[in-house]
Amino acid sequence: EDEEIVAEIMGRRFFPDVIAYKAWEGFHFAGHEIRITEATDCYGAVVWPSALVLCYFLETNSKQFNLLDKNVIELGAGTGLVSIVASLLGAFVTATDLPELLGNLQHNVLQNTKQKCKHQPCVKELSWGIDLEKNFPRSSCHFDYIMAADVVYHHPFLDELLLTFDHLCKDDTVILWAMKFRLENENRFVDRFQTLFDLEMISNFPCLNIALYKAMRKDRMKA
């Protein structure tokens, strides 16, 4: 069953018939053909399998996780695929990433959502752990969903990532997080994440070594 679903997920991807000036991949999600321009010189400009897993989940679970008119932020949006799919499903999306990735991210988001979405998504710089209150003040920023795909890997900013999750997450915010397990660092991050959030695995794909989690703040009932 795992392999059958993975085959269906990966079957949403298609490639250009002829070589293009810029490398791109195509995807079928939310009733649309999505074209993503990539770059091979950095991790953030490539579509990773975790993003496809999250997009597939959003589309096939749209009744349980209804994104219509919901306020969504994506951390580490990269090429923008998850943000685009969430936008096509009716959410108001803020796609965030490092400044050097925003140009390609903005291009993909605009190309695939203009005049196709109820709410035009916005692209915003977010360096994890930096100027969070200045750029995303707690008093005025409220996100129904925080989404992340493949943001946990061997990089030196795991502390800052956890701080960012904590800052953006309100008592009723739902985190949807797709993660590929690679090294022990990832397991340790999950342990630390669970000190702040109740974590539930809602999908698992062993053949990809990817799990999809739902999380909410631990102290929400007290609040």
Side-chain angles (χ1 to χ4, degrees):
E1 183 180 359
D2 168 39
E3 293 179 353
E4 288 179 3
I5 297 175
V6 167
E8 183 177 347
I9 294 171
M10 296 306 164
R12 300 299 186 93
R13 181 190 310 225
F14 68 93
F15 299 92
D17 294 328
V18 295
I19 297 175
Y21 172 69
K22 284 191 174 182
W24 63 269
E25 288 184 74
F27 303 88
H28 293 290
F29 286 109
H32 289 79
E33 179 181 292
I34 301 168
R35 293 193 177 193
I36 296 293
T37 301
E38 298 184 320
T40 57
D41 56 350
C42 59
Y43 288 137
V46 176
V47 177
W48 298 100
S50 293
L52 273 68
V53 167
L54 182 49
C55 289
Y56 179 82
F57 178 85
L58 295 176
E59 179 182 18
T60 56
N61 293 271
S62 58
K63 290 185 178 180
Q64 182 181 0
F65 296 90
N66 184 1
L67 298 185
L68 185 63
D69 298 328
K70 297 297 193 298
N71 203 12
V72 172
I73 187 169
E74 184 186 2
L75 304 184
T79 60
L81 181 61
V82 172
S83 288
I84 291 164
V85 171
S87 298
L88 293 171
L89 291 171
F92 180 81
V93 177
T94 302
T96 70
D97 215 314
L98 297 170
E100 59 267 27
L101 297 174
L102 295 188
N104 189 59
L105 174 58
Q106 179 70 66
H107 168 77
N108 284 328
V109 167
L110 187 62
Q111 175 178 263
N112 291 285
T113 62
K114 189 175 182 180
Q115 297 182 333
K116 298 178 183 178
C117 299
K118 183 176 181 180
H119 308 288
Q120 185 61 37
C122 69
V123 172
K124 191 170 181 179
E125 176 185 343
L126 174 51
S127 299
W128 298 334
I130 298 176
D131 293 331
L132 293 176
E133 182 58 30
K134 175 183 176 183
N135 295 323
F136 299 90
R138 290 178 185 269
S139 60
S140 58
C141 286
H142 184 283
F143 297 104
D144 300 294
Y145 290 94
I146 300 172
M147 296 186 184
D150 224 0
V151 293
V152 178
Y153 52 90
H154 188 61
H155 62 70
F157 305 107
L158 293 177
D159 290 342
E160 291 82 356
L161 175 59
L162 187 59
L163 181 65
T164 303
F165 272 123
D166 183 43
H167 179 83
L168 296 174
C169 191
K170 295 289 197 296
D171 294 329
D172 58 347
T173 301
V174 174
I175 298 171
L176 293 176
W177 166 30
M179 173 174 168
K180 181 177 179 68
F181 287 86
R182 299 180 178 89
L183 301 168
E184 186 59 29
N185 278 352
E186 283 83 353
N187 294 316
R188 288 199 294 267
F189 181 85
V190 172
D191 291 339
R192 294 179 56 214
F193 186 88
Q194 289 184 96
T195 64
L196 298 175
F197 303 98
D198 290 320
L199 191 64
E200 175 189 357
M201 182 186 293
I202 52 178
S203 288
N204 188 28
F205 302 96
C207 68
L208 293 175
N209 209 21
I210 291 174
L212 179 61
Y213 294 103
K214 171 190 171 185
M216 295 188 74
R217 183 175 289 284
K218 272 185 178 294
D219 59 2
R220 64 187 184 280
M221 296 306 294
K222 297 178 183 177

